[in-house]
Amino acid sequence: MSKEYNITLIPGDGIGPEVTEAAVHVIEAAGVNVNWEVVEAGEKVIEKYGTPLPDYVLNSIEKNKIALKGPITTPVGKGFRSVNVALRQKFNLYANVRPIKTYKGIKSRYDNVDLVIVRENTEDLYAGIEHKIGDYAAESIKIITKDASEKIAKFAFDLAKNEGRKKVTAVHKANIMKFSDGLFLNTVREVSKNYEEIEFEDVIVDAMSMKLVQTPENYDVLVMPNLYGDILSDMGAGLVGGLGVVPGGNIGKDIAVFESVHGSAPDIAGKGIANPLATILSSVMMLRYIGENEAAEKIDAAIAKVLEEGSKLTVDLGGSASTKEFTEEVIKKLK
Ligand code: ATP
């Protein structure tokens, strides 16, 4: 009897239920035995519980230590914090990992991008420390600590080492923000000395944006503070075919939440046409995290085949297949 895993499943808002259902089916077809604890969060529970993130969601994640999450909409102007930011802060999921990779069959200007963005997930301008100065100014405070910079740097170098990657690039703006980004850069540089087998370089964020568009194939692991990571992740998605393609994981000391980079896409919700690829790939990251490497490889290979054949691509990738048709094709290739 194979091992059974207890994993929290948050279907989420918009296209969330459709794309997480697809991931559940694929994992099941790959033979991994998961007992999914389904907990609802987001818009649909606000009326009943007065919050998009009720305690039962937090309790479930705390208990199972691992979750697969669909996107959750943050209601604008209703006084709720972002569920995503709240989860990251509550469980100190300090590393946000987003692999950006080209696949044969997905239209892109590039054909050999394979990099990982490691984004610090808990501080920087996301610390939420802002105030108005009368009606004529406002101030947002950017917090960078040595401790968080050290943790994210170690995470990036360990990831490079474990995945057999060759180079870590620190992205920053230390020439202007000499104290905050300066601290980040110096800390990453210090950490790099413990990993002599991995090349280290640093690039200023504006130059990085240009280089990523010109020669993305030159980069391997990129480590950066929160805001630059937010922006370059979406740009990275643009390099390899868009938001439907890029997975992600929020990883802490002993808890991890996996989710795609894209949001709830309300414009196509309920139509059965959302691309489940980013969420399926997020679940593949999750399988690797729990040590189910063989199943992860199998799913990766099945996806690569479906994409290369190209007859079952979803609408965002220029095809006409539904969410279900794409998912069924992946499952067919698994078998
Ligand atoms: P949210 O408010 O939850 O962030 P959003 O609509 O502002 O949602 P996204 O959902 O991230 O932002 O994406 C923007 C657009 O990209 C969507 O409206 C949709 O048209 C497209 N898109 C995003 N994800 C997918 C997907 N998985 N499949 C197909 N199209 C997608």
Side-chain angles (χ1 to χ4, degrees), residues 15 72-73 243-244 262-268 274-275 316:
I15 59 173
I72 289 179
T73 313
L243 283 170
H262 67 72
S264 61
D267 52 331
I268 55 167
N275 187 354
D316 59 311

Side-chain angles (χ1 to χ4, degrees), residues 3 22 102 107 133 142-143 145 151 232 280 288 305:
K3 189 171 171 191
T102 37
K107 210 171 149 228
I133 304 167
K142 170 170 165 129
I143 309 266
T145 64
K151 269 162 77 180
L232 291 188
I280 297 173
R288 290 212 165 88
K305 267 192 217 146

Side-chain angles (χ1 to χ4, degrees), residues 234-261:
D234 273 30
M235 192 178 117
L239 298 177
V240 298
L243 283 170
V245 177
V246 180
N250 301 288
I251 299 171
K253 196 162 140 271
D254 56 359
I255 294 185
V257 177
F258 294 86
E259 62 182 335
S260 60
V261 171

Side-chain angles (χ1 to χ4, degrees), residues 105-106 306-308 310-322 326:
I106 294 186
V306 175
L307 295 175
E308 197 170 353
S311 63
K312 297 285 179 191
L313 299 186
T314 46
V315 181
D316 59 311
L317 298 181
S320 59
S322 65
F326 175 82

